[in-house]
C-alpha cells in the first residue's frame, strides 16, 4: 500500500512539474508572439557609440520592436590598427561577420590545455615558471586563430575571447547576440563581462551611461584578489583600475603571440572541411568559416547573383549554438525573389551597394518598403514574406539566422512553391487561364532565388 501511495505521489509530482514547464513554455511563446506584433519594419542604424582609445563600439537599440521580436542584440566593433579588444565573455552565443580587415582571435575554452608554446621554452624554463622565476619570452597559451574579411565567427556563451588588429586597416566586426538562446538564463538585455578595462560610467558630456560593459574584477576585495593570484596588491590595483582607455586599447608592448603560419592554417581549414567536423573536439573546434568564397556558393546565377550559406554542416560548432548565416550578392538590377523563412528569423546587415526591400505580413500588408544601403540593418521575422531588388550598382548583405539549419520557401523560381503545384490549382486559385498559369509557373526556367533583370 505504501508503495502504491509513493508511486501516486511521484506521478502527481511529475504531472505538476510537467504542467509548470508547459506553462512556462506557453508564457514564453505568448511573450514572443506579442513581441512580434508590429505594423511597420524599418532600416536601423546604431543608437549609441562607445568611444575607446583604440576604436569604437556601435550598439543598436535592443529594445527596437524588430530586435525584440528576433530576440537579438546587434553590435559593431571597429578596431584601429595595432589595437586590442579587451578580454570579455557574454551570457548568450554571438555570431560575428568580419566586414573589413584582419586580425588575431583568442577564444579560451575552460578545461582545455595550453597547447601552444614558444620555441624558447624548455624543461628548465618550465621549472623556473613553477618556481615563480619564468624568463621573459617564455609562454604557453591556447590556440590563436587568424580571422579576415568575409569570415563568419562563432563565439559560444560564457567563453572568454579577445581580438587584436595586426593589419594596416581598421578591423570591422558586425555581430548579433542571440538573447533568446537557451544558453542565456538571464534577462533579455545585452551584457558583456570584461576581465579588464571597461566602459566609462560617465561619457564625455558628463552624463551617466549604461553599465553593461564593465570590468567584473572590480567587484572583488583587493586582498582576496591578491591572495587568489598570489601577487602583490599593486598588481591587483592595476587589474581593477578604471582608466580612459575603454573597451578597445592601443597595444604598446607588442603582441608576440604564438600561432601557426598562414600555410599551416589554410591546410588545417581544408582538412576540417574534408572531415566535416566529425573528428573535431571542443578544444580544437573550428570557430570561423569564410563566406566570400565563390566556389562554395549554394546558389549562383550568372546574371542574378550568388548566395553562400554557413550552417551547422559547414561549421559544426553552430549545432551547439543553433545559429547560422548567409552572405548574399545581387548583381545590378537583379532580384532576390519573394520567399519566407520556415524556421528562423533573419537579421540582415547591408555591407555594400543599395537595394529596395519589401516585406509583407500575414495580413497581406506591407510592413516595409524601403531603400537600404551600406550600414543599414533590419529584421525579417519568421514566416514574413520578403523580397529585395538591387539598384544599378548591385547590393551585398550578410544575414544572421536564429537556426543552425535555416530553410526558406521561395514563391517564384525553379524550386518555388508555385512550381511544385499542378497547373489546375494555380489556374483556379488566381482565376487565370491555363496558359497564364503555365507562364507563371515556368517563365523563370531553372533560376532559383536569384532572378536576373527582366528583359523588355
Amino acid at each position: 500500500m505504501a508503495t502504491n501511495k509513493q508511486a501516486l505521489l511521484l506521478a502527481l509530482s511529475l504531472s505538476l512539474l510537467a504542467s509548470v514547464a508547459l506553462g512556462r513554455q506557453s508564457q514564453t511563446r505568448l511573450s514572443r508572439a506579442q513581441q512580434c506584433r508590429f505594423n511597420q519594419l524599418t532600416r536601423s542604424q546604431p543608437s549609441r557609440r562607445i568611444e575607446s582609445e583604440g576604436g569604437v563600439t556601435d550598439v543598436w537599440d535592443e529594445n527596437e520592436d524588430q530586435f525584440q521580436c528576433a530576440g537579438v542584440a546587434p553590435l559593431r566593433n571597429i578596431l584601429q590598427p595595432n589595437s586590442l579588444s579587451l578580454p570579455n565573455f557574454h551570457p548568450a552565443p554571438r555570431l560575428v561577420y568580419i566586414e573589413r580587415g584582419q586580425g588575431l582571435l583568442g577564444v579560451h575554452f575552460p578545461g582545455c590545455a595550453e597547447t601552444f608554446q614558444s620555441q624558447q621554452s624548455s624543461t628548465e624554463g618550465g621549472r623556473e615558471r613553477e618556481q615563480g622565476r619564468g624568463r621573459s619570452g617564455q609562454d604557453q597559451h591556447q590556440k590563436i586563430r587568424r580571422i579576415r574579411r568575409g569570415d563568419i565567427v562563432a563565439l559560444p556563451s560564457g567563453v572568454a575571447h579577445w581580438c587584436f588588429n595586426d593589419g594596416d586597416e581598421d578591423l570591422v566586426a558586425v555581430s548579433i547576440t542571440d538573447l533568446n538562446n537557451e544558453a542565456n538564463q538571464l534577462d533579455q538585455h545585452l551584457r558583456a563581462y570584461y576581465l579588464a578595462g571597461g566602459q566609462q560610467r560617465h561619457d564625455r558630456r558628463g552624463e551617466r551611461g549604461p553599465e553593461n560593459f564593465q570590468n567584473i574584477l572590480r567587484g572583488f576585495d583587493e586582498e582576496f584578489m591578491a591572495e587568489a593570484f598570489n601577487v602583490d596588491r599593486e598588481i591587483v590595483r592595476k587589474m581593477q583600475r578604471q582608466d580612459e582607455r575603454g573597451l578597445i586599447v592601443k597595444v604598446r608592448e607588442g603582441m608576440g603571440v604564438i600561432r601557426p603560419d598562414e600555410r599551416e592554417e589554410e591546410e588545417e581549414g581544408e582538412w576540417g572541411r574534408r572531415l566535416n567536423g566529425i573528428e573535431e573536439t571542443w578544444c580544437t573546434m573550428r570557430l570561423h568559416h569564410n563566406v566570400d568564397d565563390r566556389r562554395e556558393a549554394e546558389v549562383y546565377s550568372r546574371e542574378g547573383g550568388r548566395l553562400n550559406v554557413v550552417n551547422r554542416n559547414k561549421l559544426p560548432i553552430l549545432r551547439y549554438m543553433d545559429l547560422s548565416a548567409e552572405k548574399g550578392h545581387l548583381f545590378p538590377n537583379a532580384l532576390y525573389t519573394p520567399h519566407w523563412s520556415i524556421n528562423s528569423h533573419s537579421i540582415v546587415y547591408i555591407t555594400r551597394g543599395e537595394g529596395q526591400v519589401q516585406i509583407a505580413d500575414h495580413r497581406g500588408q506591407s510592413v516595409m518598403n524601403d531603400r537600404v544601403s551600406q550600414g543599414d540593418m533590419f529584421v525579417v521575422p519568421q514566416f514574413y514574406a520578403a523580397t529585395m531588388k538591387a539598384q544599378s550598382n548591385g547590393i551585398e548583405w550578410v544575414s544572421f539566422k536564429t537556426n543552425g539549419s535555416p530553410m526558406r520557401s521561395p514563391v517564384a523560381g525553379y524550386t518555388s512553391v508555385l512550381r511544385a503545384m499542378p497547373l489546375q490549382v494555380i489556374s483556379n486559385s488566381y482565376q487565370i487561364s491555363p496558359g497564364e498559369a503555365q507562364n507563371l509557373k515556368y517563365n523563370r526556367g531553372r533560376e532559383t532565388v536569384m532572378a536576373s533583370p527582366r528583359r523588355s
Side-chain angles (χ1 to χ4, degrees):
M1 181 68 69
T3 303
N4 291 337
K5 288 183 178 179
Q6 291 174 350
L8 180 60
L9 288 173
L10 178 60
L12 290 172
S13 300
L14 292 174
S15 176
L16 179 61
L17 289 172
S19 299
V20 171
L22 288 173
R24 288 177 178 172
Q25 291 177 5
S26 299
Q27 291 175 1
T28 301
R29 285 195 294 269
L30 178 61
S31 174
R32 291 181 181 178
Q34 291 172 342
Q35 289 175 348
C36 289
R37 291 179 180 174
F38 36 67
N39 296 319
Q40 195 69 31
L41 291 167
T42 184
R43 56 181 180 164
S44 178
Q45 289 280 339
S47 60
R48 182 161 53 97
R49 168 162 284 197
I50 303 171
E51 296 186 2
S52 300
E53 177 191 56
V56 296
T57 301
D58 292 326
V59 184
W60 275 262
D61 184 4
E62 65 198 63
N63 293 317
E64 279 191 33
D65 288 344
Q66 56 183 336
F67 298 134
Q68 286 280 308
C69 171
V72 300
L75 191 74
R76 179 172 61 206
N77 278 314
I78 304 175
L79 281 67
Q80 298 170 4
N82 200 43
S83 295
L84 173 71
S85 176
L86 292 172
N88 67 93
F89 62 91
H90 30 78
R94 181 176 294 175
L95 205 57
V96 185
Y97 172 70
I98 307 302
E99 182 178 2
R100 189 167 77 245
Q102 64 174 342
L104 301 178
L105 175 70
V107 181
H108 307 293
F109 295 93
C112 295
E114 302 166 352
T115 55
F116 281 51
Q117 45 191 301
S118 66
Q119 294 178 354
Q120 296 175 335
S121 61
S122 62
T123 305
E124 180 182 354
R127 294 196 191 101
E128 288 182 354
R129 281 194 300 275
E130 291 175 1
Q131 296 169 6
R133 302 193 304 272
R135 294 195 302 268
S136 175
Q138 295 178 347
D139 188 22
Q140 292 185 193
H141 53 73
Q142 289 189 17
K143 181 177 181 178
I144 308 298
R145 296 165 169 87
R146 164 70 65 187
I147 55 174
R148 55 177 57 84
R149 176 181 176 179
D151 277 350
I152 294 292
V153 183
L155 297 175
S157 60
V159 176
H161 58 87
W162 54 265
C163 183
F164 174 62
N165 181 359
D166 65 345
D168 298 326
E169 63 175 335
D170 286 352
L171 191 160
V172 182
V174 182
S175 66
I176 59 105
T177 303
D178 184 13
L179 301 177
N180 272 348
N181 194 282
E182 62 179 7
N184 178 28
Q185 299 186 28
L186 300 177
D187 54 31
Q188 302 292 293
H189 292 289
L190 176 65
R191 290 181 174 89
Y193 297 76
Y194 277 79
L195 301 178
Q199 180 188 357
Q200 290 292 309
R201 296 179 185 274
H202 296 79
D203 63 21
R204 294 181 178 179
R205 298 178 182 176
E207 299 177 353
R208 189 172 179 83
E211 300 181 358
N212 290 349
F213 304 91
Q214 298 297 332
N215 182 351
I216 63 172
L217 300 184
R218 296 194 194 111
F220 294 105
D221 183 83
E222 185 179 294
E223 182 179 350
F224 281 23
M225 287 281 291
E227 184 176 352
F229 286 95
N230 193 24
V231 295
D232 296 333
R233 289 191 178 186
E234 181 60 28
I235 296 179
V236 173
R237 293 190 190 101
K238 292 180 179 180
M239 296 172 67
Q240 294 180 328
R241 70 184 174 188
Q242 182 172 0
D243 53 32
E244 299 293 331
R245 297 187 304 164
L247 309 178
I248 305 170
V249 303
K250 285 289 186 181
V251 172
R252 296 179 176 86
E253 300 297 328
M255 286 285 290
V257 297
I258 314 154
R259 51 174 298 276
D261 62 31
E262 301 293 334
R263 182 176 300 177
E264 289 176 345
E265 198 167 57
E266 290 176 2
E267 290 175 354
E268 178 185 297
E270 292 298 328
W271 177 247
R273 293 189 188 99
R274 289 197 298 271
L275 295 178
N276 201 24
I278 297 175
E279 286 77 6
E280 289 182 317
T281 65
W282 182 254
C283 295
T284 59
M285 187 169 286
R286 288 189 303 121
L287 300 180
H288 58 94
H289 189 97
N290 198 278
V291 289
D292 280 349
D293 190 346
R294 300 180 181 181
R295 298 170 300 177
E296 292 191 1
E298 273 72 22
V299 176
Y300 178 76
S301 169
R302 187 179 298 274
E303 297 179 344
R306 63 178 180 271
L307 196 66
N308 287 37
V309 177
V310 177
N311 55 24
R312 64 178 64 185
N313 295 322
K314 285 187 178 179
L315 193 58
I317 194 172
L318 294 179
R319 71 185 59 175
Y320 303 105
M321 299 170 58
D322 203 24
L323 293 170
S324 58
E326 68 178 25
K327 176 70 183 299
H329 182 189
L330 277 179
F331 299 153
N333 303 313
L335 181 73
Y336 193 8
T337 59
H339 62 279
W340 68 86
S341 177
I342 293 176
N343 58 355
S344 70
H345 300 298
S346 301
I347 301 89
V348 183
Y349 175 79
I350 307 301
T351 62
R352 191 191 67 81
E354 291 183 320
Q356 190 74 20
V357 174
Q358 296 185 2
I359 304 175
D361 65 7
H362 62 285
R363 298 165 296 185
Q365 297 181 357
S366 173
V367 294
M368 182 175 181
N369 186 7
D370 287 345
R371 176 170 290 195
V372 295
S373 57
Q374 183 175 354
D376 288 336
M377 182 178 288
F378 59 92
V379 172
V380 182
Q382 181 186 16
F383 300 122
Y384 280 51
T387 184
M388 180 191 301
K389 182 177 175 62
Q391 300 300 305
S392 58
N393 58 345
I395 190 170
E396 294 183 25
W397 72 92
V398 61
S399 178
F400 302 100
K401 307 282 188 176
T402 57
N403 191 289
S405 294
M407 299 175 62
R408 78 174 66 82
S409 181
V411 178
Y414 183 68
T415 59
S416 70
V417 61
L418 292 186
R419 186 74 174 245
M421 294 181 183
L423 284 174
Q424 292 82 355
V425 173
I426 299 174
S427 177
N428 284 279
S429 295
Y430 300 122
Q431 290 187 317
I432 58 179
S433 68
E436 291 171 325
Q438 181 90 8
N439 292 336
L440 188 64
K441 183 173 180 177
Y442 293 109
N443 265 6
R444 270 299 171 187
R446 298 189 66 85
E447 290 179 301
T448 53
V449 297
M450 300 288 187
S452 57
R454 182 180 177 182
R455 296 178 175 83
S456 300

